[in-house]
């Protein structure tokens, strides 16, 4: 009898750029979850809202069997179980109509992954959001982005999930929860739920 893998892939996160990828790495390393990222050139080139249709129609996301490259996703009756496709985007590089269609999921209505997609928005940019919530005191310069985000969202090398890791993730979720220009807390909350489910 063939055993099914126990460590299912719980999420794929499409990231806008390097800063969002660093947040992803922070969550993944802190909670030891099997979540996968999708970026352009390891986040060194950005993915915009205007190019998401092309991304979702690329080979990686074209049909169910193609997602196997990201890992084994639990499924039953031809439906994924406990799985989400998060997309983290800035909203400053598209029209107002495109921004609204992204946030309300209208732009994904014809894609087979529609029910699993969770659009994460930062209005207008992630940099503006982290400043508004008080994680930085001044505007982040382009040359300082990587070092700044590593300080705010430090990845860990700990081999096990600790209470401190979980509490820190909860604190970040609550910080973003109080800011109307983002819904980043949804990513943090979901990953925390996945950790609780593993216990």
């Amino acid at each position: 009898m063939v055993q099914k893998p126990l460590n299912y892939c719980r999420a794929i996160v499409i990231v806008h750029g390097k800063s969002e990828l660093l947040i992803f790495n922070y969550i993944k390393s802190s909670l030891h979850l099997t979540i996968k990222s999708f970026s352009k050139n390891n986040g060194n080139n950005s993915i915009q809202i205007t190019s998401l249709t092309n991304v979702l129609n690329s080979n990686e996301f074209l049909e169910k069997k193609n997602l196997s490259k990201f890992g084994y996703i639990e499924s039953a009756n031809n439906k994924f179980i406990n799985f989400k496709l998060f997309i983290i985007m800035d909203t400053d590089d598209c029209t107002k109509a495109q921004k609204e269609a992204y946030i309300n999921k209208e732009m994904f209505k014809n894609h087979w992954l529609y029910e699993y997609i969770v659009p994460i928005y930062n209005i207008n940019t992630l940099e503006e959001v982290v400043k508004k919530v008080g994680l930085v005191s001044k505007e982040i310069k382009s040359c300082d982005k990587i070092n700044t985000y590593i300080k705010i969202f430090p990845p860990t090398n700990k081999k096990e999930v600790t209470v401190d890791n979980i509490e820190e993730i909860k604190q970040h979720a609550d910080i973003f929860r109080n800011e109307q220009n983002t819904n980043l807390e949804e990513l943090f909350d979901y990953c925390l739920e996945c950790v609780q489910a593993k216990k």
Side-chain angles (χ1 to χ4, degrees), residues 85-184:
L85 174 60
F86 290 94
I87 306 174
I88 311 176
M89 291 286 127
D90 285 350
T91 62
D92 64 335
D93 45 16
C94 61
T95 66
K96 183 179 179 180
Q98 289 169 329
K99 171 182 162 183
E100 290 175 356
Y102 169 71
I103 292 174
N104 65 26
K105 286 181 63 170
E106 180 72 15
M107 70 162 48
F108 311 116
K109 66 180 182 180
N110 295 321
H111 198 278
W112 73 272
L113 279 165
Y114 177 82
E115 66 181 287
Y116 308 104
I117 292 175
V118 181
I120 302 293
Y121 55 86
N122 290 300
I123 303 172
N124 292 303
T125 65
L126 178 60
E127 284 67 43
E128 289 179 37
V129 167
V130 295
K131 186 180 178 185
K132 283 181 179 178
V133 300
L135 289 173
V136 295
S137 58
K138 58 184 179 181
E139 187 175 336
I140 304 172
K141 296 179 181 178
S142 294
C143 60
D144 295 331
K145 274 188 182 181
I146 293 177
N147 288 334
T148 300
Y149 280 102
I150 287 176
K151 286 178 183 176
I152 301 171
F153 305 103
T156 178
N157 292 320
K158 293 178 182 176
K159 293 182 179 180
E160 294 182 357
V161 180
T162 67
V163 172
D164 288 344
N165 290 147
I166 292 174
E167 284 305 311
E168 193 174 280
I169 295 289
K170 285 180 179 177
Q171 288 169 15
H172 274 109
D174 288 339
I175 287 170
F176 291 119
R177 202 183 317 282
N178 296 321
E179 174 52 54
Q180 64 179 0
N181 288 312
T182 188
N183 64 336
L184 253 173

Side-chain angles (χ1 to χ4, degrees), residues 7-12 34-36 70-73 82-83:
N7 209 11
Y8 299 112
C9 177
R10 293 304 182 197
I12 299 170
T34 305
I35 55 177
K36 304 290 184 174
F70 294 101
Y72 192 93
I73 303 171
N82 300 321
F83 171 79

Side-chain angles (χ1 to χ4, degrees), residues 9-61:
C9 177
R10 293 304 182 197
I12 299 170
V13 185
I14 298 174
V15 297
H16 170 63
K18 195 72 175 183
S19 302
E20 292 80 5
L21 186 58
L22 290 171
I23 292 175
F24 165 86
N25 289 334
Y26 162 70
I27 295 172
K28 181 175 181 175
S29 67
S30 297
L31 299 181
H32 289 214
L33 288 173
T34 305
I35 55 177
K36 304 290 184 174
S37 66
F38 179 89
S39 63
K40 201 172 180 181
N41 190 23
N42 199 33
N44 292 309
N45 297 108
S46 63
I47 297 173
Q48 283 89 22
I49 286 175
T50 53
S51 62
L52 281 176
T53 299
N54 290 336
V55 170
L56 291 173
N57 287 328
S58 66
N59 187 57
E60 287 86 352
F61 302 100

